[in-house]
Amino acid sequence: MSEFSVPDDARIIDYIVTIGPNGHPVEHVDLAGDNSSVSLERGREQMSELESQLKTTGSDDNLSTQSAGGDFTTQASVSSDWNRVLSNSYTYRKDPYGEAFVSYVWWRLNSAEEPSGRMIHSVQTHAAMTPGTKIFDSQWHNEWLEADTFWNRDYSNPKVETWDPSSPTDSSDVGVSVGYPSGGGLSWSFENAGCIEPYYNSADPSVHWDMNCIFGNANRRQNTISMKPGSRAQMDDTSSTCTDGVHSVCRVKSTGHFEDINLKNHYLWQAAHFGYNC
């Protein structure tokens, strides 16, 4: 199950859901912060794209999501050790600031591969932002892009074992590997428009990623930028972690920080909660 949060100044204009050939839900939500940002055609195009790819590939492993400024794919190299639980994406557009986009793919390791009494999950994130200067012809540009995964601390022994990218980088091609099983059973890569820096908090546990080298680069400030980090957590699966019929796995959030020429700031964010019945 997934539950998403709607910012106070936004409203849902499109909700699309389908079931992929592998049996997991594929969900997309369009949010708008003002009347000029509403476009039902964008939702219809999204549904047509999902249907076309499902018919063409017969698989949902390579579904892509349209966002302003380009086509972002959630392609991953996946071994049979991993099962995709769900895929969802959110687009939040508001004039004159810009658009924030995020997609998540939640994976779970096959039970036969997991340690006794433990469950291993991984969340693949794709966060992107497009400034108002590009889509609204305004004076708002990109300033900061952030992504967070908060693994559930209520599990008796949650532990984030890996997170990527694990060091600042400004490479044009970034590879991310979940690192389990050994040999890279789940990995992906992406074109990176700027450096990424991770912060790990063992108390939560949680991982926070910043794309924080946009300042001073006109191309990054005025065009779509994106990153695809991810992390893996190993947790005890016991009845004591069942609350109101749900095992809470993690919360996720992505934020696009926009700024205008007068140094005013605005934030567009999306958040969701993942869990399963118990």
Side-chain angles (χ1 to χ4, degrees):
M1 52 138 274
S2 66
E3 298 176 343
F4 61 91
S5 301
V6 179
D8 291 340
D9 58 351
R11 55 183 168 133
I12 300 172
I13 57 173
D14 286 307
Y15 175 78
I16 302 164
V17 64
T18 186
I19 302 297
N22 295 341
H24 83 276
V26 180
E27 178 184 62
H28 179 74
V29 182
D30 271 327
L31 303 173
D34 63 288
N35 289 334
S36 64
S37 299
V38 174
S39 173
L40 294 178
E41 288 301 320
R42 298 179 67 250
R44 296 191 183 101
E45 290 173 0
Q46 176 68 24
M47 175 57 83
S48 296
E49 182 186 354
L50 290 174
E51 292 178 342
S52 175
Q53 291 188 59
L54 288 172
K55 291 177 182 178
T56 301
T57 66
S59 170
D60 47 14
D61 286 342
N62 293 311
L63 289 179
S64 64
T65 302
Q66 290 286 348
S67 182
D71 178 34
F72 296 117
T73 62
T74 56
Q75 292 180 345
S77 172
V78 188
S79 72
S80 59
D81 302 294
W82 290 90
N83 290 324
R84 187 191 299 239
V85 181
L86 61 81
S87 307
N88 59 16
S89 59
Y90 311 96
T91 301
Y92 182 15
R93 175 178 286 204
K94 188 172 183 179
D95 189 0
Y97 311 110
E99 178 183 279
F101 164 83
V102 66
S103 71
Y104 301 104
V105 183
W106 170 17
W107 305 87
R108 181 186 168 185
L109 195 68
N110 287 335
S111 299
E113 298 291 338
E114 291 178 330
S116 177
R118 304 284 278 174
M119 298 180 66
I120 297 180
H121 300 273
S122 179
V123 172
Q124 173 190 359
T125 299
H126 178 194
M129 61 189 296
T130 303
T133 184
K134 184 176 180 69
I135 56 177
F136 294 121
D137 196 26
S138 69
Q139 296 180 329
W140 287 81
H141 55 256
N142 297 330
E143 184 66 15
W144 208 283
L145 179 62
E146 303 174 329
D148 294 274
T149 299
F150 305 93
W151 295 98
N152 184 12
R153 69 173 68 182
D154 293 332
Y155 276 82
S156 56
N157 283 296
K159 179 184 179 183
V160 176
E161 298 175 310
T162 185
W163 61 95
D164 288 293
S166 57
S167 62
T169 178
D170 198 11
S171 170
S172 61
D173 186 13
V174 176
V176 178
S177 176
V178 170
Y180 194 100
S182 59
L186 175 58
S187 61
W188 59 92
S189 63
F190 63 99
E191 293 295 314
N192 178 24
C195 65
I196 300 169
E197 189 167 357
Y199 299 90
Y200 171 56
N201 184 338
S202 60
D204 284 335
S206 64
V207 191
H208 173 86
W209 295 272
D210 284 336
M211 182 180 285
N212 56 8
C213 57
I214 301 170
F215 180 78
N217 186 300
N219 183 57
R220 297 172 190 160
R221 288 164 72 88
Q222 298 175 12
N223 293 284
T224 301
I225 58 173
S226 69
M227 61 177 172
K228 291 184 182 177
S231 61
R232 181 188 78 224
Q234 186 177 143
M235 305 172 175
D236 286 352
D237 184 24
T238 64
S239 59
S240 62
T241 63
C242 181
T243 303
D244 297 327
V246 174
H247 279 296
S248 175
V249 173
C250 66
R251 293 181 296 110
V252 290
K253 185 177 182 180
S254 175
T255 304
H257 173 194
F258 301 89
E259 187 178 85
D260 74 353
I261 59 173
N262 298 314
L263 303 183
K264 294 181 179 178
N265 298 291
H266 194 82
Y267 302 87
L268 299 180
W269 60 269
Q270 306 99 337
H273 169 219
F274 301 150
Y276 61 96
N277 293 335
C278 53

